[in-house]
Amino acid sequence: NDGDDEPKEAAMNDEEKQAIADAAAAEAKPFTIADTMVTLATRADFGDYQVNAAMGLAKSLGMNPRECASKIADKIKPKLE
């Protein structure tokens, strides 16, 4: 047996790929909408505003919250400039 007679898997069409992506996105919610809300800072040393998304996200990823927040800030900074 040279393996040529094994059935080939059919390639997924775009609709199937999109259905998988949609299902994955629907399940990938490590934090709630409340975690993403921008609020006035609770302490002056936090700045003017704060977003607590990094806390919930870091917990779900097993990551240090400060490191997670730093990565988020690094990605956002270019969009704010």
Side-chain angles (χ1 to χ4, degrees):
N1 186 2
D2 60 5
D4 289 339
D5 52 336
E6 290 183 24
K8 304 270 188 214
E9 288 188 32
M12 282 191 284
N13 64 37
D14 289 341
E15 187 176 301
E16 291 168 322
K17 290 177 186 176
Q18 188 62 50
I20 291 170
D22 290 345
E27 293 299 317
K29 296 180 181 171
F31 50 88
T32 68
I33 192 71
D35 295 321
T36 63
M37 296 184 65
V38 176
T39 60
L40 292 173
T42 55
R43 294 186 357 207
D45 56 323
F46 288 163
D48 296 323
Y49 301 96
Q50 68 187 51
V51 177
N52 293 329
M55 295 297 287
L57 182 59
K59 184 177 180 179
S60 70
L61 296 174
M63 179 185 262
N64 175 293
R66 188 174 297 271
E67 179 185 349
C68 184
S70 179
K71 288 182 180 235
I72 292 170
D74 290 346
K75 294 291 184 179
I76 291 174
K77 279 181 189 175
K79 297 177 185 313
L80 299 176
E81 296 173 347

